[in-house]
PDB file of all heavy atoms in Angstrom:
ATOM      1  N   GLY D   7     134.309  87.681 163.565  1.00 81.00           N
ATOM      2  CA  GLY D   7     134.812  86.321 163.625  1.00 81.00           C
ATOM      3  C   GLY D   7     135.355  85.942 162.270  1.00 81.00           C
ATOM      4  O   GLY D   7     134.833  86.368 161.242  1.00 81.00           O
ATOM      5  N   PRO D   9     136.071  83.667 158.946  1.00 87.00           N
ATOM      6  CA  PRO D   9     135.235  82.640 158.284  1.00 87.00           C
ATOM      7  C   PRO D   9     135.593  81.237 158.751  1.00 87.00           C
ATOM      8  O   PRO D   9     134.691  80.411 158.915  1.00 87.00           O
ATOM      9  CB  PRO D   9     135.600  82.841 156.815  1.00 87.00           C
ATOM     10  CG  PRO D   9     136.030  84.256 156.700  1.00 87.00           C
ATOM     11  CD  PRO D   9     136.706  84.573 157.994  1.00 87.00           C
ATOM     12  N   THR D  20     124.626  70.280 166.069  1.00 90.00           N
ATOM     13  CA  THR D  20     123.777  69.178 165.655  1.00 90.00           C
ATOM     14  C   THR D  20     122.421  69.770 165.248  1.00 90.00           C
ATOM     15  O   THR D  20     121.892  70.587 165.992  1.00 90.00           O
ATOM     16  CB  THR D  20     123.551  68.170 166.791  1.00 90.00           C
ATOM     17  OG1 THR D  20     124.834  67.655 167.188  1.00 90.00           O
ATOM     18  CG2 THR D  20     122.668  67.016 166.365  1.00 90.00           C
ATOM     19  N   ALA D  33     122.921  66.828 160.510  1.00 88.00           N
ATOM     20  CA  ALA D  33     121.929  65.865 160.925  1.00 88.00           C
ATOM     21  C   ALA D  33     122.588  64.721 161.710  1.00 88.00           C
ATOM     22  O   ALA D  33     123.592  64.203 161.280  1.00 88.00           O
ATOM     23  CB  ALA D  33     121.167  65.328 159.753  1.00 88.00           C
ATOM     24  N   SER D  34     122.028  64.366 162.814  1.00 85.00           N
ATOM     25  CA  SER D  34     122.589  63.308 163.646  1.00 85.00           C
ATOM     26  C   SER D  34     122.508  61.940 162.944  1.00 85.00           C
ATOM     27  O   SER D  34     123.333  61.069 163.172  1.00 85.00           O
ATOM     28  CB  SER D  34     121.901  63.258 165.016  1.00 85.00           C
ATOM     29  OG  SER D  34     120.508  63.053 164.850  1.00 85.00           O
ATOM     30  N   ASP D  38     125.833  59.398 162.312  1.00 74.00           N
ATOM     31  CA  ASP D  38     125.780  58.045 162.901  1.00 74.00           C
ATOM     32  C   ASP D  38     126.149  56.941 161.885  1.00 74.00           C
ATOM     33  O   ASP D  38     126.291  55.806 162.255  1.00 74.00           O
ATOM     34  CB  ASP D  38     124.373  57.817 163.479  1.00 74.00           C
ATOM     35  CG  ASP D  38     124.356  56.661 164.445  1.00 74.00           C
ATOM     36  OD1 ASP D  38     125.383  56.445 165.117  1.00 74.00           O
ATOM     37  OD2 ASP D  38     123.297  56.021 164.549  1.00 74.00           O
ATOM     38  N   ALA D  43     129.909  55.782 153.946  1.00 79.00           N
ATOM     39  CA  ALA D  43     128.511  55.959 153.592  1.00 79.00           C
ATOM     40  C   ALA D  43     128.052  57.400 153.862  1.00 79.00           C
ATOM     41  O   ALA D  43     127.196  57.919 153.147  1.00 79.00           O
ATOM     42  CB  ALA D  43     127.648  54.960 154.398  1.00 79.00           C
ATOM     43  N   PRO D  46     129.269  61.432 151.106  1.00 85.00           N
ATOM     44  CA  PRO D  46     128.534  62.258 150.120  1.00 85.00           C
ATOM     45  C   PRO D  46     127.465  63.156 150.767  1.00 85.00           C
ATOM     46  O   PRO D  46     127.316  64.308 150.429  1.00 85.00           O
ATOM     47  CB  PRO D  46     127.881  61.248 149.193  1.00 85.00           C
ATOM     48  CG  PRO D  46     128.532  59.946 149.450  1.00 85.00           C
ATOM     49  CD  PRO D  46     129.115  60.017 150.826  1.00 85.00           C
ATOM     50  N   PHE D  54     125.756  73.205 152.136  1.00 92.00           N
ATOM     51  CA  PHE D  54     124.512  73.938 152.470  1.00 92.00           C
ATOM     52  C   PHE D  54     124.734  74.906 153.629  1.00 92.00           C
ATOM     53  O   PHE D  54     124.340  76.037 153.627  1.00 92.00           O
ATOM     54  CB  PHE D  54     123.387  72.988 152.763  1.00 92.00           C
ATOM     55  CG  PHE D  54     122.159  73.671 153.317  1.00 92.00           C
ATOM     56  CD1 PHE D  54     121.318  74.366 152.483  1.00 92.00           C
ATOM     57  CD2 PHE D  54     121.883  73.633 154.663  1.00 92.00           C
ATOM     58  CE1 PHE D  54     120.177  75.022 152.997  1.00 92.00           C
ATOM     59  CE2 PHE D  54     120.786  74.283 155.212  1.00 92.00           C
ATOM     60  CZ  PHE D  54     119.932  74.990 154.342  1.00 92.00           C
ATOM     61  N   ALA D  63     132.711  82.280 152.800  1.00 91.00           N
ATOM     62  CA  ALA D  63     133.575  81.152 152.543  1.00 91.00           C
ATOM     63  C   ALA D  63     132.919  80.207 151.536  1.00 91.00           C
ATOM     64  O   ALA D  63     131.704  80.167 151.360  1.00 91.00           O
ATOM     65  CB  ALA D  63     133.839  80.401 153.842  1.00 91.00           C
ATOM     66  N   ASN D  64     133.766  79.388 150.872  1.00 89.00           N
ATOM     67  CA  ASN D  64     133.342  78.300 150.023  1.00 89.00           C
ATOM     68  C   ASN D  64     134.031  77.044 150.463  1.00 89.00           C
ATOM     69  O   ASN D  64     135.237  77.089 150.835  1.00 89.00           O
ATOM     70  CB  ASN D  64     133.755  78.574 148.549  1.00 89.00           C
ATOM     71  CG  ASN D  64     132.845  79.573 147.885  1.00 89.00           C
ATOM     72  OD1 ASN D  64     131.702  79.705 148.186  1.00 89.00           O
ATOM     73  ND2 ASN D  64     133.453  80.330 146.968  1.00 89.00           N
TER      74      ASN D  64
END
Side-chain angles (χ1 to χ4, degrees):
T20 301
S34 59
D38 198 31
F54 170 78
N64 285 328

